[in-house]
Every structure is written in C-alpha cells, then in structure tokens.
Amino acid sequence: VIIVAVAVPLLGSGNYSVARAAARRAASDLQYAQDTAIATQKDITVTFDTESESYLLSNESGVLIHPITNSAYAIDFKGVKELSQLDIVAAFRGGSITFDTTGIPNPGGTLVLRAGDSTFNVTVSSMTGTVSVTAED
C-alpha cells in the first residue's frame, strides 16, 4: 500500500481558497478510503456530519487511525481556523459513502462544500469510483 499525504496550502485569500482547499482535502480522504478498502479487503465508510461540518473514516471495527497523525481519522473543518467558515451543504445520500473491497462506492454522488459565495463539488462516480473536484459557477 502506498500512502500519499497531500498538503493543501491556502493560497491567496477569501472564500474561494477556503472552499477549494476543503474540497481537495475531502477528495484526498475519499481516495484514501477507497484505496484502503481495496488494500485491506474491508469496506470503508466515510460519514459526514453537516451540523458539525466534519467527517470520519471507519470500517466494521470502528474509526480508522490516520496514518500520519496516528489518531482517529476524523476531520473537523470547524476546528481548523482557516476553514472555520466552511459549510458542508450536502453529503451523498444518507450522509455517508462506503467503498467496498473492489473500490466501488455505495452510493456514488456528490459532496457540496461552500464558503461564502464559493461552492465546490466533490463527486464520486458510482460506476468507477473516480473522485473529482469542480467549482460551481
């Protein structure tokens, strides 16, 4: 298993950079969940909480351990000063997405992140599991 950590600097200022950074972070974490499901041959679920603007990665044994921080793989956007104005507007059907042992998501769909007037979509293809990030116009 190759684990890649992606640092996303907040270049520039304003809501666009905040929303873009959060979308890239979420996309990276979704890709990690998919890769981990394949590597460990265990379903991995990413569960989003739109009230607390957070998400966590888990399997049937509980919350995953982050490979870099060695703590629970839980991301709290409100807990990061630079991302505190971010809102998780919508998070897949039912608020979670599970990758099976072949990397196929259930369900596929879109995570919508907004900071001020800037919105980014993180989409996971239900057919291929491909994760993509796009800005809304």
Side-chain angles (χ1 to χ4, degrees):
V1 174
I2 297 173
I3 299 173
V4 178
V6 178
V8 182
L10 292 174
L11 301 174
S13 62
N15 296 326
Y16 183 87
S17 294
V18 168
R20 181 181 64 191
R24 287 182 177 175
R25 172 68 186 264
S28 176
D29 290 339
L30 287 163
Q31 186 65 59
Y32 175 79
Q34 182 183 46
D35 293 345
T36 301
I38 294 167
T40 63
Q41 288 297 285
K42 293 182 179 178
D43 291 358
I44 303 293
T45 300
V46 184
T47 305
F48 296 86
D49 184 336
T50 57
E51 294 297 316
S52 67
E53 316 303 347
S54 63
Y55 60 92
L56 60 88
L57 282 66
S58 62
N59 62 20
E60 72 271 3
S61 299
V63 177
L64 297 184
I65 300 300
H66 194 287
I68 296 172
T69 65
N70 211 24
S71 59
Y73 208 129
I75 306 303
D76 176 10
F77 289 131
K78 293 294 183 193
V80 178
K81 181 182 176 188
E82 295 83 4
L83 301 177
S84 62
Q85 70 268 34
L86 184 86
D87 292 315
I88 299 175
V89 178
F92 303 99
R93 184 180 62 218
S96 67
I97 183 170
T98 299
F99 294 95
D100 70 15
T101 59
T102 64
I104 300 300
N106 181 22
T110 301
L111 169 67
V112 181
L113 302 171
R114 180 177 300 138
D117 58 354
S118 295
T119 302
F120 276 77
N121 297 320
V122 181
T123 302
V124 180
S125 168
S126 60
M127 297 298 289
T128 64
T130 301
V131 180
S132 62
V133 176
T134 55
E136 281 190 13
D137 294 329

